[in-house]
Amino acid sequence: DTGVSQNPRHKITKRGQNVTFRCDPISEHNRLYWYRQTLGQGPEFLTYFQNEAQLEKSRLLSDRFSAERPKGSFSTLEIQRTEQGDSAMYLCASSEQTSGRNNEQFFGPGTRLTVL
Amino acid sequence: AQSVAQPEDQVNVAEGNPLTVKCTYSVSGNPYLFWYVQYPNRGLQFLLKYITGDNLVKGSYGFEAEFNKSQTSFHLKKPSALVSDSALYFCAVRDGNSGAGSYQLTFGKGTKLSVIP
């Protein structure tokens, strides 16, 4: 396993449609994160999993967004009733679990969503 | 709340010259600081981190960063820039003392580095 993978890499959808993205973390990493990045901005935190448990959710994660990690391996991020403001790059990252919070996160290539 | 400021949207430097990309942070507890680089159409790549210890940390591709607690800064440096260093650089912070156990990173807006041949 060479890194975090994300699928699809690009998604174009019409406003009001639902979309789902997948993230496969580095195999030995049990922490998984979702971020959103818009043009000219740094990534913004959306949510975090430790194994299958979703432990943190940002206020950016509206009720149209849902993330799952059912078996503690891959994760999915679903956006329902997409809006044009959802257009962004969605980044997934993973990290190892240690007693501290000092481990770096390794990022995937991202899924670029365009809502027409 | 934690925040990161990267005051320069773009930095231009001639190949072979030293480069500095600036970063200041704000966090209530002990700062855990990170630098990432992003090439076009690719994800963020980890460069280096400061957790504790020596204020000068060394990372990938010859980059280093200096932690300055009094100035709340964590500037990225390289003694001799390469054209291939041209990319978007992000500074990020996490609160190491967060009682809630927050693992989220807060990123700056990024600095575009252009190394001119």
Side-chain angles (χ1 to χ4, degrees):
Chain A
D1 190 337
T2 58
V4 178
S5 62
Q6 293 186 246
N7 287 289
R9 293 291 306 275
H10 303 274
K11 179 70 177 179
I12 300 174
T13 191
K14 293 182 179 179
R15 188 177 54 185
Q17 297 295 304
N18 299 344
V19 294
T20 300
F21 311 140
R22 176 177 170 130
C23 170
D24 288 87
I26 295 172
S27 58
E28 62 268 26
H29 289 181
N30 57 5
R31 291 178 175 159
L32 186 147
Y33 314 79
W34 285 98
Y35 290 82
R36 182 176 70 184
Q37 185 179 18
T38 55
L39 196 62
Q41 302 294 320
E44 296 172 293
F45 172 79
L46 292 178
T47 190
Y48 152 65
F49 290 85
Q50 182 166 306
N51 299 312
E52 66 276 8
Q54 189 174 18
L55 298 184
E56 283 186 73
K57 289 169 48 173
S58 163
R59 58 178 174 78
L60 294 176
L61 210 68
S62 75
D63 56 6
R64 295 185 298 107
F65 288 69
S66 63
E68 294 182 344
R69 197 183 181 197
K71 297 182 180 180
S73 55
F74 72 91
S75 175
T76 58
L77 177 67
E78 180 182 16
I79 308 175
Q80 296 181 328
R81 305 181 303 280
T82 53
E83 302 173 355
Q84 287 184 328
D86 297 332
S87 295
M89 176 76 83
Y90 289 85
L91 297 169
C92 177
S94 69
S95 69
E96 293 181 292
Q97 179 176 356
T98 63
S99 59
R101 291 182 293 277
N102 56 5
N103 282 340
E104 58 271 27
Q105 297 173 17
F106 293 88
F107 284 79
T111 295
R112 182 169 295 283
L113 173 66
T114 302
V115 182
L116 302 177
Chain B
Q2 55 199 42
S3 65
V4 171
Q6 294 182 242
E8 301 154 318
D9 291 335
Q10 179 151 353
V11 170
N12 297 322
V13 63
E15 186 177 23
N17 283 2
L19 69 87
T20 299
V21 182
K22 295 179 181 178
C23 169
T24 58
Y25 66 89
S26 174
V27 69
S28 56
N30 286 337
Y32 289 171
L33 294 155
F34 303 81
W35 275 102
Y36 286 84
V37 59
Q38 188 174 38
Y39 296 98
N41 299 316
R42 296 177 66 178
L44 280 75
Q45 295 179 29
F46 169 74
L47 280 179
L48 51 78
K49 66 180 178 183
Y50 171 83
I51 303 300
T52 187
D54 195 347
N55 289 344
L56 184 65
V57 294
K58 296 186 183 297
S60 307
Y61 313 119
F63 284 93
E64 57 190 26
E66 186 169 11
F67 170 66
N68 188 316
K69 187 174 183 179
S70 62
Q71 297 185 4
T72 62
S73 67
F74 189 57
H75 301 330
L76 181 70
K77 301 179 180 183
K78 188 174 183 181
S80 179
L82 301 173
V83 172
S84 58
D85 292 331
S86 298
L88 194 55
Y89 290 81
F90 290 96
C91 180
V93 69
R94 175 190 296 149
D95 188 340
N97 283 11
S98 173
S102 175
Y103 287 84
Q104 65 175 279
L105 287 175
T106 298
F107 286 83
K109 291 185 176 182
T111 298
K112 183 180 179 181
L113 173 67
S114 293
V115 181
I116 304 164

